[in-house]
Amino acid sequence: MLLHIPGLFSREEVRRIREALEQTEWADGKITAGFQSAKAKHNLQLPEGHPLAQEIGAAMIERLWKTPLFMSAALPHKVFPPLVNCYTGGGSFDFHIDNAVRQPKGSPERVRTDLSATLFFSDPEDYEGGELVIQDTYGVQQVKLPAGDMVLYPGTSLHKVNAVTRGARYASFFWTQSLVREDSQRTLLFEMDNAIQQLTRDVPDHPSLIQLTGTYHNLLRRWAEV
């Protein structure tokens, strides 16, 4: 499932974040790449533990936990602290699949990367190229969202970032370990949750709502790993 989550940050918040990113120092993006990915990765990144990256990451996680669409779709158990990158001057990241397990620097905690996410801090008109290209069950999807919007997709997906040929593409990316490992099961639960919410708005007193909600939770109980 590939999901667009709009407006995670407001325009004013994005403006302040981007101004801070434009004034900071960057490192080679290969610092967090695996052996194979490092061969394909050509971008800039804030190191793990960088104060600005930590500030942005903390704000993102706080916002995510208050975003019903993310909570319903991801069913999050653990979130890897968000990282921040920049593509400019021809920077790109060729096709790859993210490492299955990530360990934050200086932490014993490990996160299984069931879901990948990118939050855009640059608007599409600010740069040329830079599309996030994702191969999923519906074919190849190209994603280039407004600043403040986020895309969520399975960590098992083959994906790349096209070369940025003009301007700069600022973004944050992170991984989520879900309570439900399988994408097909998460998708079913997400669709069922959406249906329950729609019925609650349209026919709040319908007796089938209790049965449908119970079925949702029984499926989640069957599939959840805690």
Side-chain angles (χ1 to χ4, degrees):
M1 176 178 62
L2 189 153
L3 181 66
H4 173 195
I5 300 179
L8 198 68
F9 284 104
S10 70
R11 304 295 300 179
E12 178 59 24
E13 289 171 324
V14 167
R15 184 188 63 79
R16 293 199 302 268
I17 291 170
R18 193 165 56 243
E19 286 179 353
L21 293 175
E22 289 170 351
Q23 297 170 14
T24 196
E25 294 185 4
W26 295 82
D28 192 314
K30 290 181 171 61
I31 55 176
T32 57
F35 176 74
Q36 290 296 329
S37 293
K39 299 176 183 179
K41 190 175 187 181
H42 307 283
N43 67 356
L44 301 173
Q45 190 169 306
L46 296 186
E48 288 186 65
H50 190 288
L52 181 56
Q54 289 182 324
E55 181 181 352
I56 293 172
M60 284 178 60
I61 290 177
E62 181 182 7
R63 194 65 55 86
L64 287 168
W65 249 248
K66 297 176 181 178
T67 303
L69 189 56
F70 172 78
M71 298 300 291
S72 176
L75 296 170
H77 179 44
K78 302 177 187 177
V79 174
F80 187 94
L83 301 171
V84 182
N85 61 19
C86 173
Y87 290 84
T88 189
S92 64
F93 197 166
D94 208 353
F95 274 120
H96 64 285
I97 293 176
D98 293 332
N99 290 356
V101 178
R102 308 286 307 209
Q103 186 169 1
K105 187 177 181 180
S107 171
E109 190 92 359
R110 294 182 178 181
V111 178
R112 189 182 66 236
T113 58
D114 297 325
L115 292 152
S116 299
T118 296
L119 172 63
F120 292 81
F121 291 132
S122 298
D123 281 309
E125 59 269 21
D126 293 338
Y127 59 99
E128 290 183 2
E131 297 86 0
L132 174 61
V133 182
I134 304 168
Q135 289 190 4
D136 65 9
T137 53
Y138 298 101
V140 177
Q141 311 288 323
Q142 292 203 33
V143 181
K144 192 172 182 178
L145 300 178
D149 288 13
M150 188 179 86
V151 62
L152 187 69
Y153 59 98
T156 54
S157 303
L158 189 67
H159 60 284
K160 71 173 181 175
V161 176
N162 286 336
V164 172
T165 57
R166 178 187 63 82
R169 175 195 188 269
Y170 295 102
S172 180
F173 62 102
F174 66 95
W175 299 275
T176 299
Q177 178 172 328
S178 177
L179 292 168
V180 177
R181 182 192 300 251
E182 290 296 325
D183 180 59
S184 60
Q185 295 171 344
R186 284 195 309 272
T187 300
L188 179 62
L189 288 167
F190 178 59
E191 291 173 349
M192 186 177 292
D193 188 29
N194 284 337
I196 291 170
Q197 292 183 48
Q198 186 64 51
L199 286 171
T200 300
R201 289 189 292 269
D202 294 345
V203 283
D205 298 322
H206 198 288
S208 294
L209 271 171
I210 296 175
Q211 183 178 8
L212 186 58
T213 302
T215 300
Y216 171 90
H217 284 287
N218 284 334
L219 285 173
L220 180 57
R221 184 177 293 110
R222 175 184 290 269
W223 292 334
E225 302 173 9
V226 294

